[in-house]
Amino acid sequence: MADQQLTCRDCGQVFTFTDGEQEFYASKNLSAPQRCKACRANRKNDRNGGGGMREMHDAVCAQCGAQCQVPFKPRPVEEGGKPVLCKACFMAKRDMAA
Ligand SMILES: [Zn+2]
Ligand SMILES: [Zn+2]
């Protein structure tokens, strides 16, 4: 087998699909990669929460009682958790502090 030149579908750059990689992919029954190494690494980071969708948790605003969602798992205040504020209350509080 010889090295193949493939075009990344994300950034459009030509990258080398080496002989060794082709064997590896074939042994795993995988089809040829669609993206260059850099873009594959980026996508992996995204899946680990680096700028991608974050898991949201339901919470109740400690100030106005509105249902809201926060990017962390809220803990009861009695257990040392911070009171959860909805976006509106959070902004109002921040404006007051400024
Ligand atoms: Zn790329
Ligand atoms: Zn609120």
Side-chain angles (χ1 to χ4, degrees):
M1 272 197 273
D3 288 359
Q4 280 179 36
Q5 299 296 314
L6 301 178
T7 306
C8 172
R9 62 187 287 176
D10 274 12
C11 68
Q13 273 200 49
V14 173
F15 64 98
T16 307
F17 187 31
T18 64
D19 183 60
E21 284 171 328
Q22 290 174 49
E23 253 171 56
F24 175 80
Y25 272 70
S27 73
K28 301 249 172 201
N29 253 336
L30 295 167
S31 48
Q34 313 265 0
R35 294 172 182 85
C36 69
K37 274 206 177 96
C39 288
R40 266 183 276 159
N42 278 345
R43 290 175 70 84
K44 215 182 257 172
N45 286 344
D46 280 355
R47 235 173 287 145
N48 292 340
M53 279 286 287
R54 283 221 253 173
E55 201 192 339
M56 299 298 276
H57 299 269
D58 287 325
V60 177
C61 174
Q63 204 145 307
C64 70
Q67 282 281 342
C68 55
Q69 292 207 310
V70 290
F72 54 89
K73 198 163 176 64
R75 281 203 296 162
V77 180
E78 308 89 69
E79 285 174 28
K82 286 205 183 116
V84 172
L85 296 178
C86 69
K87 208 164 191 178
C89 292
F90 181 79
M91 299 289 249
K93 202 180 166 193
R94 201 188 54 175
D95 286 350
M96 245 188 282

